[in-house]
Amino acid sequence: MASAVTPSSTVEARQRYRALTARRLLLLVVLFSCLLLSVAVDMALGPARYSLNEVIAAVLSPSSVNGQLRVIIWELRMPTALMAVTVGACLSLAGAEMQTILANPLASPFTLGISAAAGFGAALGLVAGVAILPAAIEYMVPINAFLMAMTASLFIYGVSTMRGVTVETIVLLGIALVFTFNALLALLQYLATEQALTAVVFWTMGSLTKATWGKVAVTAIILVAVVPFFARNAWALTALRLGDDKAASFGVNVRRLRLQTMMLVSVLAAIPVSFVGTIGFIGLVGPHIARMLVGEDQRFFLPGAAVCGALMLSATSVVSKMLVPGAILPIGIITSLVGVPFFFSLIFTNRKKAW
Amino acid sequence: MVSLRLEALGARYGRTDVFSGISTRPIEGGRLTALIGPNAAGKSTLLKRIAGLLKGEGAVHVSGADVLERSICYMPQDTGGNAVLTVYESVLLAAKQGGSWTVSEDNLVEIDQTLASLGITDLAFRDLGAISGGQRQLVAIAQALVRKPKILLMDEPTSALDLFRQIEVLHYMHELARKTGIAVIIALHDLNHVMRYCDQTIIVAGGRLVTDGPTAEIITADMLRDVYRVKARVETCTQGRPMIVVDGTA
């Protein structure tokens, strides 16, 4: 058929593709460098301010700095700073894959009701003193939150395994779950004592202040466990965005891939939410920013979404410390306040399609 | 050369039979075989069933190709999706399914050649969402061809193309089949195209096989009346080719 195409233009196409790939890799490196810088600044800020040099020395060579600095960095600030990274990455990755498998730009742990379910679980513990798992009463709030989040996730997963259920049905069901759990949460708040109400409100605003090395480790392990699956299926997940029929025609087992991904994404979303409360914005917008920057080839989109989510939450942590020195504003509030204008500016200045 | 034969093939959605008992003569490689029939005859479902994307009764017997590997490729009617991908990436994606993350020079040469063969190199770095329906259809053909199938099942691949492009694509597919020996089954609505480019034809209607065989023998005025409910004649044009002249509904 027609080919007015010269060999030189096909060579040019190859070169353009190589250049596109190189540009995306460079973008990922830049984003990752920004993340490292943000984490360092996050650790430098606080009631006692340190220089970046002091922070870097304390991280790389703890024995060379004084005991106070070492303790503040290693015991207090580093878990919080790294928690922002792992939670941001988990939420953004979860949102990215939810949007991919449900072919819906609104899908995220927040909009599918997973965060709302976690909020209700936490409130059950804080208001009614109900421990869903009585054996671990000490960790009642995060465990309640996790179990409720997993219940919501597994409910959505269960529905999606039923034949004839479309992705639109799943998204609608998620939105219904948001309303249901928010209503239940409001009921508990209505019945709560003043002290319990304050605790619930603070929890639902999201906070990194209760970060510990244990929680950082758990969220990091989840990431390490789940990412290889996404990476192995990068081509297949990208193909899903061309439609089910097209992906199937490429040899992708669409149903199996969707179910496996849904299962993993549920864990990826439920664990961080149960530790840090409701941080709604990252899971929705992190993937969109990554998509605008590096496109939807999952080889770039996966790391892009993870780093964008991590960077957003880390940068938010920095901003929340700078806005009111000495006080730490709930990060869930700042995430949206800082993130929305940035997201709008990307939408309006980026001529590339966002979805 | 590859060849396939359908034996008592059936498929259902839920409890509803879409078609059943479809058996054909061998469908040979090296030629285009048309799959025709009125709307809702089950053409798309039959192609998906042949491709193994749907389960059901009966069997598809293939010789000359390994069914388990990527020898059969189904090109859906929906060119859909709104992914933020360039045309180049979307074709690469089709070629790399199941492969490693790394993209070799050979992979890129393959993509370049496929795009060039369809005359769409100039679209390579346009976003999928920014091209027309017809251009998307050409990209979909590129995605199918780059997988180098031995059996290619195309569901109305020319429905969004202008007349020039329709002729170009069908001529290209005809030549490709002849040169490479692949078997191409192509669902089409334009029966004049079928008569011109397809050596064999399978006719389905109401979930049943009406008949199959050489195109010139089975596309007749009687068939057009019975299957399509139109009053039509099969004439010979000034260049000696058969063509259908429709006089009205039957």
Side-chain angles (χ1 to χ4, degrees):
Chain A
M1 179 169 151
S3 193
V5 178
T6 60
S8 67
S9 62
T10 59
V11 170
E12 196 189 308
R14 283 205 285 287
Q15 285 169 346
R16 274 188 76 177
Y17 178 75
R18 291 283 187 210
L20 184 72
T21 307
R23 195 162 63 239
R24 286 178 176 165
L25 278 174
L26 182 67
L27 253 171
L28 289 178
V29 170
V30 169
L31 282 171
F32 191 73
S33 307
C34 291
L35 176 62
L36 288 181
L37 181 67
S38 174
V39 170
V41 173
D42 195 12
M43 287 194 281
L45 294 176
R49 290 201 174 199
Y50 298 107
S51 69
L52 279 183
N53 284 341
E54 285 174 303
V55 171
I56 291 166
V59 172
L60 298 180
S61 165
S63 55
S64 69
V65 297
N66 69 55
Q68 189 198 14
L69 173 61
R70 188 169 61 239
V71 169
I72 288 180
I73 295 294
W74 279 87
E75 300 301 321
L76 298 174
R77 294 191 189 170
M78 206 191 293
T80 312
L82 293 183
M83 193 75 184
V85 172
T86 52
V87 167
C90 280
L91 290 176
S92 186
L93 266 183
E97 296 312 341
M98 282 178 179
Q99 289 167 10
T100 300
I101 60 171
L102 298 177
N104 193 302
L106 295 176
S108 80
F110 189 70
T111 48
L112 287 187
I114 296 170
S115 301
F120 171 67
L124 263 184
L126 293 167
V127 175
V130 174
I132 301 175
L133 198 66
I137 195 101
E138 195 182 340
Y139 300 104
M140 175 175 69
V141 173
I143 287 179
N144 276 5
F146 174 71
L147 291 176
M148 286 310 295
M150 276 311 287
T151 305
S153 298
L154 290 177
F155 180 63
I156 291 175
Y157 171 82
V159 171
S160 55
T161 61
M162 293 159 76
R163 292 212 173 263
V165 170
T166 64
V167 290
E168 289 83 1
T169 314
I170 297 169
V171 174
L172 280 175
L173 192 74
I175 291 169
L177 283 184
V178 173
F179 283 105
T180 307
F181 283 114
N182 280 345
L184 289 171
L185 178 64
L187 181 66
L188 281 178
Q189 286 176 320
Y190 181 73
L191 299 172
T193 62
E194 203 166 317
Q195 193 184 5
L197 182 63
T198 310
V200 171
V201 169
F202 192 75
W203 194 94
T204 53
M205 284 174 179
S207 169
L208 292 169
T209 51
K210 288 182 181 162
T212 60
W213 277 112
K215 290 176 183 174
V216 172
V218 171
T219 45
I221 287 168
I222 295 299
L223 272 176
V224 170
V226 167
V227 165
F229 172 83
F230 294 151
R232 206 170 48 246
N233 289 289
W235 293 113
L237 284 164
T238 314
L240 272 189
R241 292 285 292 114
L242 298 176
D244 286 7
D245 272 357
K246 184 58 73 70
S249 79
F250 291 168
V252 176
N253 186 332
V254 172
R255 187 175 153 77
R256 194 174 65 195
L257 179 65
R258 183 169 279 134
L259 289 179
Q260 287 173 336
T261 306
M262 192 69 163
M263 192 69 188
L264 293 176
V265 155
S266 301
V267 180
L268 203 55
I271 293 220
V273 169
S274 62
F275 286 157
V276 301
T278 311
I279 298 176
F281 195 70
I282 306 278
L284 179 68
V285 173
H288 283 298
I289 293 176
R291 194 175 282 115
M292 280 188 260
L293 294 175
V294 297
E296 280 197 279
D297 178 341
Q298 295 255 342
R299 294 174 305 147
F300 303 100
F301 182 49
L302 267 175
V307 176
C308 279
L311 178 58
M312 278 175 72
L313 202 53
S314 177
T316 306
S317 172
V318 170
V319 172
S320 73
K321 286 179 185 175
M322 288 167 80
L323 278 181
V324 189
I328 297 173
L329 290 171
I331 201 152
I333 300 177
I334 307 296
T335 318
S336 300
L337 287 181
V338 174
V340 168
F342 174 65
F343 186 50
F344 275 9
S345 72
L346 261 183
I347 288 178
F348 291 122
T349 55
N350 197 330
R351 282 179 299 146
K352 279 179 90 73
K353 209 163 69 80
W355 180 261
Chain B
M1 197 177 290
V2 69
S3 153
L4 70 157
R5 185 171 57 79
L6 316 184
E7 186 190 347
L9 217 56
R12 50 174 49 202
Y13 284 127
R15 291 180 183 174
T16 314
D17 269 339
V18 182
F19 60 81
S20 59
I22 292 189
S23 299
T24 62
R25 306 170 202 205
I27 300 164
E28 303 291 348
R31 54 176 67 171
L32 295 193
T33 299
L35 174 61
I36 64 170
N39 289 339
K43 300 187 290 295
S44 299
T45 311
L46 177 56
L47 291 181
K48 284 187 194 175
R49 177 69 186 87
I50 297 171
L53 301 179
L54 291 175
K55 290 190 167 57
E57 62 197 31
V60 179
H61 300 286
V62 177
S63 63
D66 184 350
V67 197
L68 295 176
E69 287 181 10
R70 35 195 272 182
S71 3
I72 299 188
C73 181
Y74 163 69
M75 182 194 143
Q77 202 176 127
D78 178 19
T79 56
N82 47 3
V84 185
L85 292 171
T86 62
V87 166
Y88 201 93
E89 287 176 292
S90 78
V91 179
L92 177 66
L93 180 61
K96 286 295 294 181
Q97 283 303 320
S100 69
W101 271 36
T102 49
V103 175
S104 67
E105 192 65 15
D106 288 347
N107 291 142
L108 297 183
V109 170
E110 246 176 75
I111 312 302
D112 288 342
Q113 286 172 348
T114 309
L115 294 179
S117 68
L118 290 163
I120 52 173
T121 300
D122 55 333
L123 297 180
F125 292 94
R126 298 268 298 278
D127 280 341
L128 275 183
I131 58 176
S132 73
Q135 289 170 328
R136 282 167 87 111
Q137 212 155 35
L138 291 170
V139 174
I141 296 172
Q143 289 166 343
L145 293 182
V146 81
R147 293 178 60 74
K148 301 208 180 316
K150 291 194 172 158
I151 299 165
L152 178 55
L153 312 168
M154 307 176 91
D155 198 353
E156 296 186 32
T158 57
S159 60
L161 301 181
D162 62 43
L163 192 54
F164 178 80
R165 282 293 199 175
Q166 287 178 35
I167 291 170
E168 221 181 19
V169 163
L170 289 170
H171 177 71
Y172 177 73
M173 293 310 302
H174 187 266
E175 288 303 297
L176 185 76
R178 196 175 60 77
K179 283 180 194 158
T180 60
I182 67 169
V184 181
I185 304 179
I186 187 164
L188 283 175
H189 272 303
D190 189 322
L191 299 185
N192 278 316
H193 284 336
V194 171
M195 296 192 85
R196 177 151 182 189
Y197 295 105
C198 302
D199 312 285
Q200 288 208 306
T201 296
I202 300 167
I203 306 175
V204 289
R208 298 275 170 191
L209 178 80
V210 177
T211 184
D212 66 323
T215 302
E217 290 175 21
I218 64 172
I219 296 192
T220 61
D222 289 345
M223 184 283 286
L224 292 166
R225 185 194 60 230
D226 296 341
V227 175
Y228 285 93
R229 293 179 296 157
V230 293
K231 201 187 294 176
R233 291 165 281 140
V234 180
E235 303 273 344
T236 305
C237 75
T238 50
Q239 291 182 342
R241 293 198 187 97
M243 58 177 283
I244 295 167
V245 179
V246 179
D247 296 317
T249 51

